[in-house]
Amino acid sequence: MANTATQERGRAAPQAASGESDKRRQILEGARQVFMASGFDGASMGEIAKAAGVSKGTLYVYFDSKEALFEALTIEAKEGLAENLFRLDEHDPDVRAVLTRLGISYLAMMARPEHVSIIRMVIGACEKFPRFGQAFYEAGPACGVGRLKAYIEGQISAGRLAADDTDLAAKHFLQLCQAGMLTRLLFNAGAAPDEAEISHRVAEAVRVFYAGYGPSAAG
């Protein structure tokens, strides 16, 4: 009997954890909808609870303030982006192909309307709450640059690239890819890029990157 009870408790624990995780995701999705529509200052915990389909009491069990909820939402959005995009095969000898795949995925994600809206939302809130901007930057841009930096260092060791400052080299590649595109989208000053524009941007980024960091550039 004792063993059966222990087994039942063991099964119940993961189920409870899964339920809590589902509820948290439900709340974050409701918060995302409200923050996107109203911005940080215009959103209320009551509206978020309604959009998430939970009571305010349940909402406060998971997040004790609107600030905590907003920070969790922005960090999760950026962490997922960095993890999904910056999976680089360091053993593939075709560095141009690896960088091309990264560049295309990176620009496609950066151009998504919901991603642009998240950036606008964080920019609007971080003057009042600087930690939001810092958390967003560390979870997304800094994480992505760090992963690309590590990849570049591996390719330098393999003799496929040459760079003295690998952190700057990683930033150079990403900036070469988007080169004003994000600014255009943030200010709603033009349409999102189509596949042809993305392919052209990335091909040029790889070409220019190799001019500066290809193995023949070592001096």
Side-chain angles (χ1 to χ4, degrees), residues 24-25 27-36 63 67-79 118 121-122 136:
R24 187 177 187 276
R25 281 195 296 270
I27 291 170
L28 287 172
E29 176 56 26
R32 186 187 67 79
Q33 295 173 16
V34 175
F35 283 131
M36 290 290 193
F63 299 97
E67 290 82 359
L69 181 50
F70 185 88
E71 189 168 6
L73 178 67
T74 55
I75 290 173
E76 184 168 281
K78 269 313 212 179
E79 282 180 341
I118 287 173
M121 184 175 68
V122 174
F136 184 78

Side-chain angles (χ1 to χ4, degrees), residues 78-91:
K78 269 313 212 179
E79 282 180 341
L81 180 66
E83 288 174 4
N84 290 327
L85 287 184
F86 291 86
R87 293 177 178 173
L88 303 166
D89 185 359
E90 63 182 79
H91 301 297

